[in-house]
Amino acid sequence: ARPAHHHEGQAVSSNIATLASLYTEITRLLDGEDVTVSELSTDSLSRLLVVAQKRIYRDVRCRFNEKDFDTVTVTSNLAAIPADYKSLSIAHFGSQSLIPVPEEVIRDYQSGTTGTEKYIAHAGANFTFWPAVADATELQGRYYFAWPDLSDSGTNIADNLLFQEADDLFIYAALVECAPFFGEMQKMPVWEQKYASIVGDLNRESRRVTYSGGRLQRRPSARICERR
């Protein structure tokens, strides 16, 4: 199967439909075309792929791993951060966008409790806001998230839009993780460069779409409001 490698414009579909096919692509790049002589076990590949996916979702911020907040409501000026959250894209309460800042900035403003919603910060497992927001108010906007780990369960692979758009991202991320364990350190810089190039393409495409809508306003980076 030929990996998908189109990272701009319309999404494409991966030719890799199962974990076995994905492992075969990874093994070919590690051991050559004859995958029957590989010393790699499925268990080893599975474990390294899980690690690779954790890195992917720390690094990638694009429309293929972005979703709307769904029923995230405020209680005592706190709103629970979704379990699959990785980083904030945009947040608001129906009007102006909230500016992401460190929690201490909001604490410095605690004496003022009225006004138009302006700031958002992490506070442990929650978001917090300044000025304070009324209970039962629903947080709106979008965030970048981690898809469930790839598996052969149901439509897991088909549903993962990031994998469908950029299966080579997953292959090279896995190869980078495999290199130290399987004597391929000499190839690691090449694989690392390919991985970084794909991440860069995806993230730049997302920023280009975001900033093509008109006049820009300089704000603190949304990466301030990010979970690692």
Side-chain angles (χ1 to χ4, degrees), residues 41-82:
S41 69
T42 298
D43 184 64
S44 295
L45 284 169
S46 175
R47 291 173 183 270
L48 290 168
L49 181 60
V50 168
V51 175
Q53 289 174 91
K54 291 183 184 300
R55 182 186 183 189
I56 286 170
Y57 295 118
R58 287 196 299 267
D59 293 343
V60 175
R61 304 286 180 265
C62 75
R63 61 192 174 99
F64 302 109
N65 69 316
E66 184 183 29
K67 64 163 59 170
D68 293 336
F69 285 109
D70 182 21
T71 320
V72 176
T73 56
V74 177
T75 302
S76 300
N77 202 40
L78 297 173
I81 295 174

Short mmCIF file of all heavy atoms in Angstrom, two decimals, residues 41-82:
data_model
loop_
_atom_site.label_atom_id
_atom_site.label_comp_id
_atom_site.label_asym_id
_atom_site.label_seq_id
_atom_site.Cartn_x
_atom_site.Cartn_y
_atom_site.Cartn_z
N SER A 41 8.59 -7.90 16.59
CA SER A 41 7.35 -8.55 17.00
C SER A 41 6.20 -7.56 16.90
O SER A 41 6.39 -6.34 16.99
CB SER A 41 7.46 -9.06 18.43
OG SER A 41 7.50 -7.98 19.35
N THR A 42 5.01 -8.09 16.70
CA THR A 42 3.82 -7.24 16.67
C THR A 42 3.66 -6.49 17.98
O THR A 42 3.27 -5.32 18.00
CB THR A 42 2.58 -8.09 16.39
OG1 THR A 42 2.72 -8.71 15.10
CG2 THR A 42 1.31 -7.24 16.40
N ASP A 43 3.98 -7.14 19.09
CA ASP A 43 3.87 -6.50 20.39
C ASP A 43 4.79 -5.30 20.50
O ASP A 43 4.40 -4.24 21.01
CB ASP A 43 4.16 -7.51 21.50
CG ASP A 43 3.96 -6.92 22.89
OD1 ASP A 43 2.81 -6.55 23.21
OD2 ASP A 43 4.94 -6.81 23.64
N SER A 44 6.03 -5.46 20.01
CA SER A 44 6.99 -4.34 20.05
C SER A 44 6.51 -3.18 19.20
O SER A 44 6.56 -2.01 19.61
CB SER A 44 8.36 -4.80 19.57
OG SER A 44 8.91 -5.77 20.45
N LEU A 45 6.04 -3.49 17.99
CA LEU A 45 5.54 -2.44 17.10
C LEU A 45 4.34 -1.73 17.71
O LEU A 45 4.21 -0.51 17.63
CB LEU A 45 5.17 -3.03 15.75
CG LEU A 45 6.33 -3.39 14.82
CD1 LEU A 45 5.83 -4.21 13.65
CD2 LEU A 45 7.05 -2.14 14.34
N SER A 46 3.46 -2.50 18.34
CA SER A 46 2.27 -1.92 18.96
C SER A 46 2.66 -0.94 20.06
O SER A 46 2.10 0.18 20.14
CB SER A 46 1.39 -3.04 19.53
OG SER A 46 0.29 -2.50 20.23
N ARG A 47 3.60 -1.32 20.91
CA ARG A 47 4.02 -0.45 22.02
C ARG A 47 4.68 0.82 21.50
O ARG A 47 4.44 1.92 22.01
CB ARG A 47 4.96 -1.21 22.94
CG ARG A 47 4.29 -2.32 23.74
CD ARG A 47 5.31 -3.15 24.51
NE ARG A 47 4.67 -4.26 25.20
CZ ARG A 47 4.19 -4.20 26.43
NH1 ARG A 47 4.25 -3.06 27.11
NH2 ARG A 47 3.64 -5.25 27.00
N LEU A 48 5.53 0.67 20.49
CA LEU A 48 6.23 1.84 19.95
C LEU A 48 5.28 2.76 19.19
O LEU A 48 5.45 3.98 19.20
CB LEU A 48 7.38 1.38 19.04
CG LEU A 48 8.54 0.72 19.79
CD1 LEU A 48 9.48 0.04 18.82
CD2 LEU A 48 9.30 1.75 20.64
N LEU A 49 4.26 2.19 18.56
CA LEU A 49 3.27 3.02 17.88
C LEU A 49 2.47 3.85 18.88
O LEU A 49 2.14 5.01 18.60
CB LEU A 49 2.33 2.14 17.05
CG LEU A 49 1.24 2.87 16.26
CD1 LEU A 49 1.85 3.85 15.25
CD2 LEU A 49 0.33 1.88 15.54
N VAL A 50 2.17 3.29 20.04
CA VAL A 50 1.46 4.05 21.08
C VAL A 50 2.30 5.25 21.51
O VAL A 50 1.80 6.38 21.64
CB VAL A 50 1.15 3.15 22.29
CG1 VAL A 50 0.69 3.99 23.48
CG2 VAL A 50 0.07 2.13 21.93
N VAL A 51 3.61 5.03 21.73
CA VAL A 51 4.50 6.13 22.10
C VAL A 51 4.55 7.17 20.98
O VAL A 51 4.52 8.39 21.24
CB VAL A 51 5.91 5.59 22.41
CG1 VAL A 51 6.88 6.74 22.67
CG2 VAL A 51 5.88 4.65 23.61
N ALA A 52 4.63 6.71 19.74
CA ALA A 52 4.69 7.62 18.59
C ALA A 52 3.44 8.49 18.52
O ALA A 52 3.52 9.70 18.23
CB ALA A 52 4.85 6.82 17.30
N GLN A 53 2.28 7.91 18.80
CA GLN A 53 1.05 8.69 18.74
C GLN A 53 0.99 9.75 19.82
O GLN A 53 0.46 10.85 19.60
CB GLN A 53 -0.16 7.74 18.85
CG GLN A 53 -0.36 6.90 17.62
CD GLN A 53 -1.47 5.87 17.79
OE1 GLN A 53 -2.63 6.14 17.48
NE2 GLN A 53 -1.11 4.69 18.28
N LYS A 54 1.55 9.47 20.97
CA LYS A 54 1.60 10.49 22.03
C LYS A 54 2.39 11.70 21.55
O LYS A 54 2.02 12.85 21.79
CB LYS A 54 2.21 9.91 23.30
CG LYS A 54 1.35 8.87 23.99
CD LYS A 54 1.97 8.39 25.27
CE LYS A 54 1.16 7.28 25.91
NZ LYS A 54 -0.21 7.70 26.25
N ARG A 55 3.50 11.45 20.86
CA ARG A 55 4.29 12.56 20.33
C ARG A 55 3.52 13.32 19.25
O ARG A 55 3.53 14.55 19.23
CB ARG A 55 5.61 12.03 19.75
CG ARG A 55 6.48 13.17 19.23
CD ARG A 55 7.71 12.69 18.52
NE ARG A 55 8.53 13.83 18.12
CZ ARG A 55 9.58 13.74 17.32
NH1 ARG A 55 9.98 12.57 16.85
NH2 ARG A 55 10.26 14.83 16.99
N ILE A 56 2.88 12.59 18.37
CA ILE A 56 2.12 13.22 17.28
C ILE A 56 1.13 14.23 17.83
O ILE A 56 1.05 15.38 17.36
CB ILE A 56 1.40 12.15 16.44
CG1 ILE A 56 2.41 11.40 15.56
CG2 ILE A 56 0.29 12.79 15.58
CD1 ILE A 56 1.83 10.16 14.89
N TYR A 57 0.37 13.83 18.85
CA TYR A 57 -0.69 14.72 19.34
C TYR A 57 -0.16 15.83 20.24
O TYR A 57 -0.88 16.79 20.51
CB TYR A 57 -1.78 13.89 20.02
CG TYR A 57 -2.47 12.99 19.04
CD1 TYR A 57 -2.44 11.60 19.17
CD2 TYR A 57 -3.12 13.52 17.92
CE1 TYR A 57 -3.06 10.78 18.24
CE2 TYR A 57 -3.72 12.71 16.98
CZ TYR A 57 -3.69 11.34 17.15
OH TYR A 57 -4.29 10.53 16.20
N ARG A 58 1.09 15.72 20.66
CA ARG A 58 1.74 16.87 21.31
C ARG A 58 2.17 17.91 20.27
O ARG A 58 2.24 19.10 20.56
CB ARG A 58 2.95 16.43 22.13
CG ARG A 58 2.63 15.71 23.42
CD ARG A 58 3.84 15.66 24.33
NE ARG A 58 4.97 14.94 23.72
CZ ARG A 58 5.20 13.65 23.90
NH1 ARG A 58 4.38 12.91 24.64
NH2 ARG A 58 6.26 13.08 23.33
N ASP A 59 2.46 17.45 19.06
CA ASP A 59 3.08 18.31 18.04
C ASP A 59 2.10 18.88 17.01
O ASP A 59 2.31 19.99 16.51
CB ASP A 59 4.17 17.53 17.29
CG ASP A 59 5.37 17.18 18.15
OD1 ASP A 59 5.51 17.79 19.24
OD2 ASP A 59 6.15 16.30 17.75
N VAL A 60 1.07 18.13 16.65
CA VAL A 60 0.22 18.52 15.52
C VAL A 60 -0.95 19.37 15.98
O VAL A 60 -1.67 19.02 16.91
CB VAL A 60 -0.29 17.27 14.76
CG1 VAL A 60 -1.26 17.68 13.67
CG2 VAL A 60 0.88 16.49 14.17
N ARG A 61 -1.13 20.50 15.32
CA ARG A 61 -2.25 21.42 15.57
C ARG A 61 -2.86 21.75 14.21
O ARG A 61 -2.45 22.71 13.55
CB ARG A 61 -1.75 22.71 16.26
CG ARG A 61 -1.00 22.47 17.56
CD ARG A 61 -1.96 22.07 18.66
NE ARG A 61 -1.27 21.84 19.92
CZ ARG A 61 -0.87 20.66 20.36
NH1 ARG A 61 -1.05 19.58 19.60
NH2 ARG A 61 -0.29 20.54 21.53
N CYS A 62 -3.81 20.96 13.76
CA CYS A 62 -4.39 21.18 12.44
C CYS A 62 -5.86 20.81 12.45
O CYS A 62 -6.38 20.31 13.44
CB CYS A 62 -3.63 20.39 11.37
SG CYS A 62 -3.97 18.62 11.37
N ARG A 63 -6.55 21.05 11.33
CA ARG A 63 -7.99 20.82 11.28
C ARG A 63 -8.37 19.35 11.36
O ARG A 63 -9.53 19.02 11.62
CB ARG A 63 -8.57 21.44 10.00
CG ARG A 63 -8.03 20.88 8.71
CD ARG A 63 -8.44 21.76 7.54
NE ARG A 63 -7.84 21.37 6.28
CZ ARG A 63 -8.46 20.64 5.36
NH1 ARG A 63 -9.70 20.24 5.57
NH2 ARG A 63 -7.87 20.32 4.23
N PHE A 64 -7.38 18.46 11.18
CA PHE A 64 -7.68 17.03 11.24
C PHE A 64 -7.63 16.48 12.66
O PHE A 64 -7.93 15.31 12.87
CB PHE A 64 -6.73 16.25 10.32
CG PHE A 64 -6.80 16.71 8.89
CD1 PHE A 64 -5.76 17.42 8.32
CD2 PHE A 64 -7.94 16.46 8.12
CE1 PHE A 64 -5.83 17.86 7.00
CE2 PHE A 64 -8.03 16.91 6.81
CZ PHE A 64 -6.96 17.60 6.25
N ASN A 65 -7.23 17.29 13.62
CA ASN A 65 -7.36 16.89 15.03
C ASN A 65 -7.89 18.08 15.84
O ASN A 65 -7.40 18.40 16.91
CB ASN A 65 -6.05 16.34 15.61
CG ASN A 65 -4.97 17.38 15.77
OD1 ASN A 65 -4.74 18.21 14.88
ND2 ASN A 65 -4.26 17.35 16.89
N GLU A 66 -8.93 18.70 15.29
CA GLU A 66 -9.58 19.85 15.92
C GLU A 66 -11.09 19.56 16.02
O GLU A 66 -11.68 19.02 15.09
CB GLU A 66 -9.34 21.10 15.08
CG GLU A 66 -9.90 22.38 15.67
CD GLU A 66 -9.69 23.57 14.76
OE1 GLU A 66 -9.64 23.36 13.52
OE2 GLU A 66 -9.57 24.70 15.25
N LYS A 67 -11.69 19.90 17.14
CA LYS A 67 -13.12 19.65 17.32
C LYS A 67 -13.75 20.76 18.16
O LYS A 67 -13.05 21.52 18.85
CB LYS A 67 -13.36 18.30 17.99
CG LYS A 67 -12.82 18.20 19.40
CD LYS A 67 -13.39 17.03 20.20
CE LYS A 67 -13.16 15.69 19.61
NZ LYS A 67 -13.53 14.58 20.58
N ASP A 68 -15.09 20.82 18.13
CA ASP A 68 -15.84 21.78 18.94
C ASP A 68 -15.88 21.34 20.40
O ASP A 68 -15.93 20.14 20.70
CB ASP A 68 -17.28 21.90 18.44
CG ASP A 68 -17.38 22.53 17.06
OD1 ASP A 68 -16.47 23.27 16.67
OD2 ASP A 68 -18.38 22.25 16.37
N PHE A 69 -15.91 22.31 21.30
CA PHE A 69 -16.26 22.00 22.69
C PHE A 69 -17.69 21.47 22.71
O PHE A 69 -18.57 22.01 22.04
CB PHE A 69 -16.15 23.24 23.56
CG PHE A 69 -14.73 23.64 23.89
CD1 PHE A 69 -14.17 24.78 23.32
CD2 PHE A 69 -13.96 22.90 24.76
CE1 PHE A 69 -12.87 25.16 23.61
CE2 PHE A 69 -12.66 23.27 25.06
CZ PHE A 69 -12.11 24.40 24.48
N ASP A 70 -17.92 20.44 23.49
CA ASP A 70 -19.24 19.81 23.54
C ASP A 70 -19.74 19.78 24.98
O ASP A 70 -19.25 19.02 25.81
CB ASP A 70 -19.17 18.39 22.97
CG ASP A 70 -20.52 17.69 22.95
OD1 ASP A 70 -21.55 18.40 22.99
OD2 ASP A 70 -20.55 16.46 22.90
N THR A 71 -20.70 20.64 25.28
CA THR A 71 -21.32 20.71 26.61
C THR A 71 -20.29 20.87 27.70
O THR A 71 -20.25 20.11 28.69
CB THR A 71 -22.18 19.44 26.87
OG1 THR A 71 -22.88 19.09 25.69
CG2 THR A 71 -23.19 19.72 27.98
N VAL A 72 -19.43 21.85 27.54
CA VAL A 72 -18.46 22.22 28.58
C VAL A 72 -19.02 23.46 29.27
O VAL A 72 -19.02 24.55 28.71
CB VAL A 72 -17.07 22.51 27.99
CG1 VAL A 72 -16.10 22.97 29.07
CG2 VAL A 72 -16.54 21.27 27.28
N THR A 73 -19.54 23.29 30.48
CA THR A 73 -20.23 24.38 31.18
C THR A 73 -19.44 24.84 32.40
O THR A 73 -18.64 24.10 32.97
CB THR A 73 -21.64 23.96 31.61
OG1 THR A 73 -21.56 22.78 32.42
CG2 THR A 73 -22.51 23.66 30.40
N VAL A 74 -19.72 26.06 32.80
CA VAL A 74 -19.00 26.72 33.90
C VAL A 74 -19.72 26.50 35.23
O VAL A 74 -20.94 26.64 35.31
CB VAL A 74 -18.86 28.23 33.62
CG1 VAL A 74 -18.17 28.93 34.78
CG2 VAL A 74 -18.10 28.46 32.31
N THR A 75 -18.95 26.15 36.24
CA THR A 75 -19.43 26.08 37.62
C THR A 75 -18.36 26.69 38.51
O THR A 75 -17.19 26.28 38.45
CB THR A 75 -19.69 24.63 38.06
OG1 THR A 75 -20.65 24.03 37.19
CG2 THR A 75 -20.20 24.58 39.49
N SER A 76 -18.75 27.69 39.30
CA SER A 76 -17.80 28.39 40.19
C SER A 76 -16.59 28.91 39.41
O SER A 76 -15.44 28.80 39.85
CB SER A 76 -17.35 27.46 41.32
OG SER A 76 -18.45 27.03 42.10
N ASN A 77 -16.86 29.43 38.23
CA ASN A 77 -15.86 30.01 37.35
C ASN A 77 -14.82 28.99 36.86
O ASN A 77 -13.71 29.35 36.49
CB ASN A 77 -15.13 31.19 38.00
CG ASN A 77 -14.51 32.12 36.96
OD1 ASN A 77 -15.10 32.39 35.92
ND2 ASN A 77 -13.31 32.61 37.24
N LEU A 78 -15.19 27.71 36.85
CA LEU A 78 -14.34 26.65 36.33
C LEU A 78 -15.13 25.83 35.32
O LEU A 78 -16.33 25.63 35.46
CB LEU A 78 -13.86 25.73 37.46
CG LEU A 78 -12.99 26.35 38.55
CD1 LEU A 78 -12.77 25.34 39.66
CD2 LEU A 78 -11.65 26.82 37.98
N ALA A 79 -14.44 25.34 34.30
CA ALA A 79 -15.05 24.45 33.31
C ALA A 79 -14.08 23.30 33.07
O ALA A 79 -12.89 23.53 32.83
CB ALA A 79 -15.33 25.19 32.01
N ALA A 80 -14.57 22.07 33.13
CA ALA A 80 -13.71 20.90 33.01
C ALA A 80 -13.06 20.82 31.63
O ALA A 80 -13.72 20.98 30.60
CB ALA A 80 -14.51 19.63 33.28
N ILE A 81 -11.76 20.56 31.61
CA ILE A 81 -11.03 20.36 30.36
C ILE A 81 -11.37 18.98 29.81
O ILE A 81 -11.30 17.99 30.54
CB ILE A 81 -9.51 20.48 30.59
CG1 ILE A 81 -9.15 21.91 31.03
CG2 ILE A 81 -8.74 20.11 29.33
CD1 ILE A 81 -7.70 22.09 31.43
N PRO A 82 -11.76 18.86 28.54
CA PRO A 82 -12.10 17.54 27.98
C PRO A 82 -10.94 16.55 28.11
O PRO A 82 -9.77 16.94 28.06
CB PRO A 82 -12.40 17.85 26.51
CG PRO A 82 -12.82 19.29 26.51
CD PRO A 82 -11.98 19.95 27.56
#
